[in-house]
Amino acid sequence: MYKKIFKYLAIFLCGYILIKWITIPQPFVLSDFFIGLVMNPLKFFAASVVYFIGFLITGRVICELFHRTRKKWQKREISGAALFFEYLFLLIIFFLLFNLGWQQTFVFFSLSLFYGMISIEP
């Protein structure tokens, strides 16, 4: 149980740090965005590491949720309430991060979802 709570806190923390460290200028100009990344290489490197860690954790959680959902549909011994709350926690984290920075959150969760889906073993 503590391991799952730690994973969800790590997902939120990684997403939050990513949003705060990778700023997207408004109105968006691609050259300004890249210049901002190049001018702060340490900040960019740290944000990249945090993104990669959060990406892997989120992808793994999504993969585990898919496996547990498939087992639940096959009528195996998995609690539906626990599964529902795990999906709910992931959705709450998504909406909290979405309110902080929708572009970064969209990239973070869409690539994590894609990674989680391709890492599912039959």
Side-chain angles (χ1 to χ4, degrees):
M1 182 64 185
Y2 291 118
K3 192 174 182 180
K4 289 179 185 178
I5 292 172
F6 178 73
K7 283 182 182 180
Y8 287 112
L9 286 175
I11 291 169
F12 179 76
L13 185 63
C14 288
Y16 180 76
I17 291 172
L18 176 72
I19 290 169
K20 292 301 177 187
W21 286 352
I22 301 290
T23 57
I24 297 181
Q26 296 298 330
F28 182 73
V29 178
L30 188 60
S31 61
D32 291 342
F33 176 69
F34 284 133
I35 288 172
L37 296 178
V38 171
M39 295 304 286
N40 297 316
L42 183 62
K43 192 175 182 181
F44 171 67
F45 178 73
S48 299
V49 170
V50 167
Y51 172 75
F52 186 69
I53 291 169
F55 167 76
L56 290 177
I57 293 172
T58 308
R60 191 69 197 148
V61 165
I62 290 170
C63 182
E64 290 172 2
L65 284 173
F66 284 157
H67 279 296
R68 295 185 65 209
T69 303
R70 187 173 61 195
K71 286 181 184 178
K72 179 66 179 168
W73 284 345
Q74 293 174 352
K75 305 288 188 215
R76 294 188 187 161
E77 297 296 323
I78 293 178
S79 172
L83 192 60
F84 171 75
F85 282 118
E86 287 187 46
Y87 276 111
L88 184 65
F89 289 149
L90 198 59
L91 194 63
I92 288 170
I93 290 171
F94 174 76
F95 280 117
L96 288 173
L97 291 175
F98 191 83
N99 286 330
L100 295 173
W102 70 271
Q103 296 99 342
Q104 298 97 326
T105 302
F106 180 74
V107 170
F108 182 70
F109 273 96
S110 63
L111 292 177
S112 296
L113 180 66
F114 182 68
Y115 173 71
M117 287 174 26
I118 64 170
S119 64
I120 294 175
E121 297 173 4

